[in-house]
Amino acid sequence: SSGSGKLKSGGGGGGAASSCPFSALVSAMGDPVAGDAPHKQAGSFFEGGASVESLSKETKPKVAGSVAGTFISYSDARSSSQGSSATGMTRGTKKSNTSSGRGGGRAARKRATRCKAPPVDMALLAKYAPVVKAAWAKVVRAYSWDQLGDMLYKTLFEEAEELRGMFFNLTQAQSIRLVDMLSTLVDFAHSPEKMHEKMESMSPMHYSRGVKSDHMKPLFNVVVIMLKEVLKHDFTPAAAEAFTFWWDYLTRSMQAGLESFGGQSSLVQESWDTVLNKFTDLEVGVFLYDTLFELAPNLKTLFKRPKDVIALKFTEMISMLVSFSSDKDRMRTMITWLGFRHVRYGVRPHHIPIMGQVLIAVLERALAGEWSEATANAWGELWQTTCDMLRRAIDDGEQKGAAATEAWNECKKRTTPAGLGGMIYAKLLKYSQGGTSATDFAEHLSIHRGDHPEEYANKRYDKDSDVSGSEALGLETWELMSMLVEKLYDPDDQIEVLTVRGAHFYEMGLRQSDLVLLGQAIGESVQDVLGSSGTAKSLEALRWLWGVACITLNKTVDAFEHKFYETIQEDWDAVKKTVEIRAVGENFYSDLGEAAPDLIFLFARPKNIQSNLFAVHMEHLISLARQPALLFKDIKAMTLRHIKYGAKAEDVNVFSNCFIECLQRMLPERWSDKSKEAWGALWDMMCTCMARCLRAGSSPITLALVQGDLDALRRAVASVPRGKREECLLKLELNGGEGSPLYWAIQDGHVELARFMLHDLLAIRADRDQYYYGLDELMRVHPDIVTVLCKKAPALLEDFFNGLLWTSKSASTTEEGIIRVNYYIRDLYGNPKFIKQAWDGPLAVLCLHGPLSSFLHPAVKKVLQIKWKAFGWAMFMLTECWYMFLLLLFMIGFIILRSSCDGMGMRAASGAFSGLTLLLQLSVVYRQFRAGQVQQRRGLPRAISRIPHWLRNPWNANRMLSMLLIVIAAICEPCRPGSHQADDPNTIDGIDVILASTGVLLWLSMLQLTTLSTRLSAFCYSLGVLASDMARNFVVIGVLLLGFSSSMVVVERASTTSDGSFVGVGMGVLNLIQILINMGSPVIEGAQIFTVIGLVVFTCLANVGMLNILIAQLSLTFDTISRDMRAFASAHRAQVCVEMEDLLPLQRRQRLYASMAFDAPIEFDRGDVGVAGG
């Protein structure tokens, strides 16, 4: 995009970085009902920001030392880092926002106070508005929006070059948005209020990008040129006059909106939006990272995680800090949690000011000419407030947190939950002089002790135990205090657990007024337990710890106490009665598109579907409002999906504000302060969870996946230490939820990204201490990887199989002088301990869903070879010998001795053994059906569409039918002494047909023996493919035979000289077949002319046409299948192996697996012991 900038950094190094020092302020989102709502905007005439000036290190800062005592002069900071060669912010190219899931530049999201619409002559408006609308209607009918957009952009930069810097993303999507905005304003041409509202909604975007009302004149000239080109003679002087009047009003409206917004816009928000318009989040973060180490290189020891990860966290932190800048109370809470997290990372209070220095330095360089003293003062004030809060939070976390932890751990050594509970219960009785809801709470715990949420179901008591109220209270307090100490420096998890506990406590009778008494009782009870070792400091620390917990507990209990969730349900029911459920989603997305147009492009589905989905999800989440545990679980699953769409934690607050405004507009009479507070509480809880998950899931790897950028993924993975790569590529933990970057890449069709991940995971690396191989972790996290690749990305199977092989570089590396190959096929073989059913194993999955080519890969061939030698060959031969024995009995009893009663014994034996075999076959089918070892067959009725895997093999189905026919023949075949023929030698009875069919089926089944030979099996495969091709051609020839014979029967029936060749359709078909295969010549003497013509046409079509086409097709087919013959042979043998393995007892399979010794490490060379698994 023209005029955008790029950060180039050096110096800071790309080594390891930390567990998110200064991590994003997103553990909870801003109060959705507090402060100003986001400014609505639905696009802009000017889609981008002003050009970024060259930002060099030599640029003199305009402001230094904005806050006394907090920041050193940036000039001093710069001089301290002189000589750092590569660090600087230089002009470059920023990737289009559409690549990261964003539809356009980042717009300021702050609503300005509404200003009055400019005055307008309503008579002239009534005259000109219809003219403008009619002319524009012709324009949009003549050309598509993308064509009109291209015309506007092309003309714009030819006729008004000075406007180029206003357009940030010169893409087709942006040009369409420009046309869309013009169309919207034309639609409102009759209403000055609506035109002004739309223009005013774009003021934040225009203001942040330096747009002025003077820019409207050259833009109007561009629009007029386009109108003339499209309308030609229809663009009359009257139309030109109407458009001039209309544009003049738009210009005055823009001027009023810019003046109104400019006086109120937050300098902090505005300047930060400008920076993020010019540079990507990662570029800004990297420069913050590098500048930090220039100013304070000793801080490198605090950074353990990769550089790009920390860089993104820096940017997220500043974004969230900016979003809370107008809400000091909310900001104080968020910074407190931030400080607690950083105690765990080793950050000290004196480290905090240096980050302010870094931020000011980076902003000054990034904003260049837009940096001013007012901007510096605004940022200085914000960071001064942040420093004070953060220092206090870190001090409290270090000192009071440590004292509280020490006191509680000592208390646990000296007492029991029951003893502590008795002391707390007694103090509650003392405070209340006989009883309060706090003591009632203890009794309710005793009565309802089995009604805990799922995550607390493993209590040390249950409904049937006899636990008193004091004991139950002691157990709850014990676990609550232990959790507070354990998760003190992990506030994200702590908030979630406290919310769930708070809901449970309310159900047990606890009220908000009781929390202070309960905390006081806990603190004094612990102090009593500690005795003389307890100090005033420890008591104060325990009270402080309880106060931290009460921040969340108070909110949760208060929501229940004031019946917020009942109010929410009533409001939602009222909305559903007022409008269709889909309209809620439509209104929400409409508001979101105006408030934050850069977010609407996160939603790829059609508007109707997206609106319905939103309403359905909201309905479900509202139903779970009283059950925070289930609500959090659902939100985490939803957040996993949104991460890969490019959603950011800072966006969540915009969603909540838009939804609450939407509700307020739909419920004008019902809406009250309580509704506002209730919905704010619900969205606060949901946004808190979603923002925490988005923060946890934000990383350079997920960013690369969102953008589909392979180079970015390479850089992100390269920055991760070799021992940590598996975790980054396979797991994305979101406060209890999990996702997989690898599976996301596969599901979203990013094949090249998934291929790179597989290559990196399956590469064997080493350092001086050990080897690193990601196969074990890959199969542990994704045991179904073969199934997923077969179904969704078969092109990656070869890459996966290649990763299972290791080969020596040359023959000289081995003593024998040959290339050494290690096959790491343990997981491809399948561990029966975890894979109980043979048809669930990887080899079976390849048989069912994999491409034929996969069976030619050395890794698969090795697995097949091992299984075939271990049990496949022996069991297959045993099975085939049994069927050969049955064939022998059948031939003797039913064929050779059929004419004699001496064969009755053989027939009975054949029937008995066949019946026994049939029962065994049916037992296998039944077992597979019960175990779900079936495959759906499309096109069949639902009742019979589930086919057991054993019957998928046509040989098995053939033999099952053969056994059934033999049993029927043995039962129905009578003893026939002498000739077996009936009285009428021309009569064939049913038994004859059954025996003839059985004989054919039994002998055909002997072709299964070709499995023993790869070449014979491949040959049978070729015959089968050729037969199917011939069958398709014969269907066409059959249609031709029936058609021509029917016509000739009609013609010859009217002929007096017919020789009877076409007396009927049957005779006609037989005669045409004889002609077709050259067994007879057509008799044309005395035949009708139409008969002769028909014979000639038929001969040409069938003999010359179809048969020659068949020969050519068979030739091409043979060439094609010759490449697949060996693959088919291996695939067929693999299927036989799986069938045989399925018949083995589980214990036998486990012993065979253990005999492979897969867990023993394999040598790479003599004395060089490598990894296990092959």
Side-chain angles (χ1 to χ4, degrees):
S1 306
S2 176
S4 62
K6 181 177 181 181
L7 301 176
K8 291 186 179 181
S9 60
S18 106
S19 253
C20 177
F22 306 104
S23 55
L25 289 169
V26 295
S27 57
M29 301 304 298
D31 189 343
V33 296
D36 293 329
H39 193 93
K40 293 187 177 182
Q41 48 192 342
S44 170
F45 288 125
F46 303 94
E47 299 293 340
S51 301
V52 178
E53 299 295 328
S54 178
L55 304 172
S56 64
K57 293 174 63 176
E58 286 69 33
T59 302
K60 295 293 183 182
K62 293 179 174 59
V63 179
S66 303
V67 180
T70 302
F71 309 115
I72 62 172
S73 166
Y74 179 56
S75 300
D76 297 336
R78 187 179 70 244
S79 63
S80 68
S81 59
Q82 289 293 339
S84 177
S85 59
T87 303
M89 302 179 71
T90 58
R91 186 173 182 173
T93 302
K94 176 179 177 178
K95 291 188 177 181
S96 170
N97 284 324
T98 54
S99 67
S100 61
R102 305 279 175 168
R106 180 188 178 93
R109 300 177 188 169
K110 180 178 176 64
R111 186 186 301 279
T113 303
R114 293 293 308 277
C115 61
K116 287 187 63 175
V120 63
D121 189 328
M122 295 304 296
L124 289 177
L125 183 66
K127 172 184 176 183
Y128 291 136
V131 178
V132 170
K133 289 185 176 183
W136 188 257
K138 293 180 181 178
V139 169
V140 296
R141 281 198 301 267
Y143 290 89
S144 65
W145 282 18
D146 55 341
Q147 291 173 324
L148 293 173
D150 290 340
M151 293 169 62
L152 279 171
Y153 266 19
K154 181 180 178 182
T155 309
L156 179 68
F157 302 130
E158 290 177 354
E159 302 293 328
E161 181 66 24
E162 69 273 18
L163 298 184
R164 177 180 288 273
M166 307 296 173
F167 291 80
F168 199 75
N169 290 309
L170 308 183
T171 63
Q172 187 178 57
Q174 300 301 330
S175 66
I176 291 174
R177 289 180 63 204
L178 179 57
V179 178
D180 179 27
M181 183 52 53
L182 287 170
S183 296
T184 302
L185 290 168
V186 169
D187 290 341
F188 294 156
H190 63 284
S191 171
E193 290 79 16
K194 289 186 177 180
M195 283 192 290
H196 180 65
E197 181 180 358
K198 186 60 63 176
M199 293 297 295
E200 188 184 19
S201 72
M202 295 183 289
S203 296
M205 183 185 295
H206 291 157
Y207 184 88
S208 66
R209 292 171 186 171
V211 178
K212 300 178 181 179
S213 58
D214 295 342
H215 295 143
M216 290 290 281
K217 183 176 181 180
L219 184 59
F220 177 64
N221 295 334
V222 170
V223 173
V224 169
I225 292 173
M226 182 202 71
L227 291 172
K228 289 180 178 179
E229 183 177 349
V230 174
L231 297 176
K232 296 182 172 56
H233 299 298
D234 288 340
F235 190 71
T236 61
E241 185 178 354
F243 271 94
T244 302
F245 176 85
W246 173 67
W247 199 267
D248 176 70
Y249 179 81
L250 294 180
T251 302
R252 290 186 288 119
S253 175
M254 172 182 277
Q255 178 66 27
L258 289 173
E259 290 175 355
S260 174
F261 183 81
Q264 304 165 43
S265 175
S266 165
L267 283 173
V268 169
Q269 180 73 60
E270 175 195 335
S271 57
W272 184 245
D273 286 343
T274 301
V275 170
L276 292 184
N277 267 332
K278 295 178 179 180
F279 308 101
T280 66
D281 290 6
L282 184 59
E283 288 170 342
V284 175
V286 166
F287 199 73
L288 285 166
Y289 183 98
D290 291 341
T291 306
L292 175 63
F293 289 146
E294 288 178 9
L295 298 179
N298 59 310
L299 294 184
K300 278 191 176 183
T301 56
L302 298 177
F303 292 73
K304 302 292 190 296
R305 295 176 67 187
K307 173 180 178 178
D308 286 357
V309 174
I310 301 302
L312 280 178
K313 298 301 180 184
F314 279 159
T315 308
E316 288 177 5
M317 179 197 72
I318 304 303
S319 294
M320 293 310 305
L321 185 64
V322 169
S323 70
F324 291 128
S325 59
S326 60
D327 187 350
K328 301 300 181 186
D329 291 336
R330 176 66 65 176
M331 186 168 71
R332 182 179 296 105
T333 301
M334 297 306 101
I335 291 178
T336 298
W337 299 133
L338 184 69
F340 290 169
R341 280 196 296 271
H342 285 82
V343 172
R344 182 178 59 186
Y345 305 144
V347 176
R348 306 302 303 279
H350 63 269
H351 293 149
I352 304 304
I354 190 64
M355 191 61 192
Q357 267 179 250
V358 171
L359 179 60
I360 296 297
V362 170
L363 288 172
E364 183 175 3
R365 291 186 182 183
L367 293 172
E370 298 171 69
W371 181 257
S372 65
E373 183 175 358
T375 305
N377 290 334
W379 277 99
E381 181 181 351
L382 175 64
W383 196 258
Q384 181 65 58
T385 303
T386 302
C387 283
D388 292 342
M389 294 179 182
L390 201 54
R391 274 197 295 251
R392 190 176 303 114
I394 292 176
D395 276 335
D396 288 344
E398 281 184 340
Q399 300 175 18
K400 295 179 181 178
T405 301
E406 182 181 356
W408 177 248
N409 289 336
E410 185 63 27
C411 176
K412 288 167 64 176
K413 296 177 183 178
R414 299 190 181 190
T415 188
T416 63
L420 181 65
M423 298 172 69
I424 296 173
Y425 192 83
K427 291 185 182 299
L428 290 175
L429 288 174
K430 176 184 175 182
Y431 299 153
S432 60
Q433 296 181 351
T436 65
S437 57
T439 53
D440 294 339
F441 161 66
E443 295 301 330
H444 276 87
L445 281 176
S446 174
I447 297 170
H448 300 284
R449 53 187 172 270
D451 298 334
H452 292 268
E454 290 182 5
E455 50 265 63
Y456 308 119
N458 56 339
K459 293 291 181 182
R460 290 161 291 208
Y461 50 88
D462 55 43
K463 287 185 176 181
D464 297 327
S465 64
D466 187 16
V467 179
S468 67
S470 62
E471 289 175 305
L473 180 61
L475 287 166
E476 287 288 348
T477 303
W478 190 277
E479 294 188 359
L480 178 61
M481 292 298 295
S482 297
M483 183 276 299
L484 288 175
V485 168
E486 178 186 352
K487 297 183 180 295
L488 176 60
Y489 303 125
D490 190 4
D492 292 345
D493 286 347
Q494 187 188 79
I495 292 170
E496 188 172 314
V497 175
L498 285 173
T499 302
V500 176
R501 289 278 181 133
H504 174 62
F505 285 173
Y506 176 81
E507 292 177 2
M508 296 301 102
L510 188 70
R511 296 298 178 260
Q512 192 174 2
S513 58
D514 302 325
L515 288 171
V516 175
L517 289 178
L518 182 59
Q520 183 178 346
I522 293 172
E524 293 182 2
S525 298
V526 172
Q527 193 75 357
D528 291 345
V529 171
L530 297 178
S532 59
S533 61
T535 62
K537 181 180 178 182
S538 61
L539 180 60
E540 181 187 0
L542 288 170
R543 288 175 178 169
W544 170 83
L545 182 63
W546 184 253
V548 170
C550 283
I551 294 175
T552 302
L553 289 175
N554 271 322
K555 287 183 182 179
T556 305
V557 175
D558 182 66
F560 283 95
E561 200 168 332
H562 289 84
K563 300 187 181 301
F564 281 172
Y565 302 124
E566 287 80 354
T567 301
I568 288 170
Q569 189 63 58
E570 291 169 2
D571 287 347
W572 185 252
D573 292 339
V575 167
K576 291 192 292 184
K577 292 178 182 178
T578 305
V579 297
E580 292 184 10
I581 192 70
R582 185 182 66 184
V584 178
E586 291 176 349
N587 290 335
F588 168 75
Y589 284 114
S590 177
D591 284 0
L592 183 65
E594 294 180 353
D598 55 315
L599 295 185
I600 205 66
F601 284 84
L602 296 175
F603 306 96
R605 291 188 178 95
K607 184 178 179 180
N608 288 341
I609 296 177
Q610 198 73 53
S611 299
N612 280 325
L613 283 175
F614 175 80
V616 169
H617 283 312
M618 282 305 306
E619 175 106 31
H620 180 62
L621 293 175
I622 289 170
S623 70
L624 298 178
R626 296 184 63 90
Q627 306 174 68
L630 297 178
L631 180 66
F632 290 149
K633 183 178 179 181
D634 269 37
I635 289 176
K636 288 172 184 176
M638 183 171 59
T639 306
L640 278 172
R641 297 191 296 271
H642 283 74
I643 287 177
K644 64 179 180 180
Y645 301 149
K648 297 181 179 180
E650 64 191 86
D651 302 332
V652 180
N653 199 32
V654 182
F655 282 79
S656 66
N657 285 331
C658 286
F659 183 75
I660 290 175
E661 287 186 359
C662 179
L663 277 180
Q664 185 174 359
R665 194 169 59 252
M666 288 188 289
L667 297 172
E669 298 179 358
R670 181 180 174 81
W671 192 259
S672 63
D673 290 340
K674 185 176 181 180
S675 295
K676 183 177 181 180
E677 193 174 355
W679 283 98
L682 175 62
W683 271 99
D684 184 31
M685 183 165 59
M686 293 194 300
C687 292
T688 295
C689 179
M690 180 173 282
R692 287 198 307 267
C693 293
L694 287 171
R695 180 185 63 79
S698 174
S699 71
I701 290 178
T702 55
L703 181 61
L705 288 176
V706 169
Q707 296 174 343
D709 190 336
L710 180 58
D711 291 335
L713 181 63
R714 291 181 190 276
R715 291 193 299 271
V717 172
S719 67
V720 181
R722 60 173 65 91
K724 302 288 186 180
R725 292 189 177 186
E726 296 88 349
E727 183 178 352
C728 293
L729 295 175
L730 296 176
K731 289 190 295 184
L732 188 62
E733 295 185 1
L734 307 178
N735 297 97
E738 281 194 2
S740 170
L742 174 62
Y743 271 21
W744 281 359
I746 293 172
Q747 291 166 359
D748 290 352
H750 296 310
V751 176
E752 292 305 318
L753 270 64
R755 176 175 285 116
F756 170 76
M757 291 184 188
L758 282 175
H759 286 179
D760 194 86
L761 285 166
L762 299 177
I764 299 179
R765 298 181 176 87
D767 57 22
R768 300 177 65 180
D769 300 319
Q770 67 183 80
Y771 285 101
Y772 299 92
Y773 188 29
L775 178 61
D776 287 349
E777 187 68 11
L778 171 62
M779 299 307 298
R780 187 188 69 79
V781 177
H782 299 310
D784 61 340
I785 182 67
V786 176
T787 304
V788 171
L789 293 180
C790 285
K791 293 182 177 181
K792 297 186 176 181
L796 297 177
L797 278 171
E798 183 177 0
D799 299 277
F800 174 72
F801 294 145
N802 288 339
L804 306 183
L805 303 180
W806 175 88
T807 60
S808 58
K809 294 183 178 180
S810 66
S812 60
T813 60
T814 62
E815 186 176 332
E816 298 84 358
I818 58 176
I819 297 292
R820 180 183 179 87
V821 181
N822 290 353
Y823 296 85
Y824 295 96
I825 54 176
R826 173 181 57 195
D827 299 291
L828 197 56
Y829 183 97
N831 189 344
K833 181 179 178 180
F834 306 109
I835 304 175
K836 305 296 184 183
Q837 303 292 337
W839 282 101
D840 291 335
L843 191 61
V845 170
L846 288 174
C847 292
L848 295 173
H849 308 293
L852 278 178
S853 58
S854 62
F855 291 94
L856 296 178
H857 195 278
V860 180
K861 290 170 69 176
K862 177 61 70 174
V863 172
L864 181 56
Q865 178 187 356
I866 292 173
K867 291 196 173 189
W868 183 251
K869 289 183 177 180
F871 60 83
W873 183 88
M875 293 187 65
F876 176 74
M877 287 304 301
L878 184 62
T879 304
E880 293 305 309
C881 287
W882 175 254
Y883 283 115
M884 289 176 68
F885 170 68
L886 294 178
L887 175 61
L888 182 62
L889 289 179
F890 173 80
M891 292 299 296
I892 295 174
F894 290 98
I895 304 300
I896 298 174
L897 299 179
R898 188 179 182 209
S899 59
S900 170
C901 287
D902 295 340
M904 286 299 295
M906 297 296 289
R907 289 197 285 273
S910 178
F913 286 125
S914 297
L916 177 62
T917 304
L918 180 62
L919 288 176
L920 292 174
Q921 292 170 334
L922 289 173
S923 69
V924 173
V925 171
Y926 177 74
R927 177 174 57 80
Q928 289 189 353
F929 193 84
R930 285 291 302 273
Q933 304 297 310
V934 297
Q935 191 172 24
Q936 295 287 134
R937 284 300 182 99
R938 296 179 181 177
L940 294 177
R942 186 174 182 179
I944 61 172
S945 62
R946 301 174 68 215
I947 309 298
H949 293 315
W950 193 82
L951 286 178
R952 287 183 65 257
N953 189 337
W955 301 115
N956 293 335
N958 172 33
R959 284 171 167 169
M960 194 171 182
L961 178 60
S962 302
M963 297 303 101
L964 178 62
L965 293 177
I966 291 175
V967 171
I968 293 173
I971 295 173
C972 300
E973 174 75 348
C975 175
R976 300 183 181 184
S979 175
H980 65 277
Q981 292 292 343
D983 295 335
D984 184 359
N986 295 321
T987 301
I988 300 178
D989 57 23
I991 294 299
D992 295 327
V993 175
I994 290 175
L995 292 176
S997 302
T998 305
V1000 173
L1001 293 176
L1002 284 174
W1003 280 107
L1004 279 177
S1005 67
M1006 288 298 101
L1007 289 175
Q1008 179 76 321
L1009 286 168
T1010 60
T1011 303
L1012 296 172
S1013 169
T1014 301
R1015 292 186 178 182
L1016 285 177
S1017 184
F1019 179 70
C1020 289
Y1021 167 67
S1022 303
L1023 291 179
V1025 175
L1026 294 175
S1028 65
D1029 284 347
M1030 292 175 65
R1032 286 192 291 269
N1033 280 271
F1034 285 156
V1035 168
V1036 178
I1037 293 175
V1039 172
L1040 293 176
L1041 286 170
L1042 289 172
F1044 278 93
S1045 64
S1046 299
S1047 63
M1048 291 180 184
V1049 166
V1050 174
V1051 172
E1052 288 296 300
R1053 186 176 296 169
S1055 173
T1056 57
T1057 60
S1058 173
D1059 64 348
S1061 299
F1062 297 96
V1063 174
V1065 174
M1067 288 297 296
V1069 170
L1070 288 175
N1071 276 283
L1072 289 177
I1073 290 176
Q1074 290 179 350
I1075 296 171
L1076 186 62
I1077 61 177
N1078 295 322
M1079 290 184 63
S1081 302
V1083 179
I1084 61 176
E1085 184 177 352
Q1088 294 288 330
I1089 184 64
F1090 293 107
T1091 302
V1092 176
I1093 294 174
L1095 288 172
V1096 173
V1097 173
F1098 171 78
T1099 303
C1100 292
L1101 286 176
N1103 211 5
V1104 179
M1106 292 306 301
L1107 291 181
N1108 282 287
I1109 290 174
L1110 174 61
I1111 293 170
Q1113 184 176 349
L1114 292 178
S1115 177
L1116 291 173
T1117 300
F1118 187 81
D1119 290 340
T1120 302
I1121 64 176
S1122 62
R1123 296 190 294 270
D1124 299 333
M1125 286 178 6
R1126 297 184 65 84
F1128 168 79
S1130 295
H1132 182 59
R1133 179 173 290 185
Q1135 183 172 354
V1136 171
C1137 262
V1138 176
E1139 290 175 0
M1140 297 301 104
E1141 187 175 9
D1142 187 53
L1143 298 177
L1144 287 174
L1146 182 60
Q1147 294 78 7
R1148 170 67 174 153
R1149 291 173 54 208
Q1150 290 176 343
R1151 287 196 298 271
L1152 283 171
Y1153 179 84
S1155 68
M1156 304 295 173
F1158 282 128
D1159 293 331
I1162 307 176
E1163 288 187 342
F1164 291 126
D1165 201 353
R1166 183 178 298 275
D1168 185 7
V1169 180
V1171 296

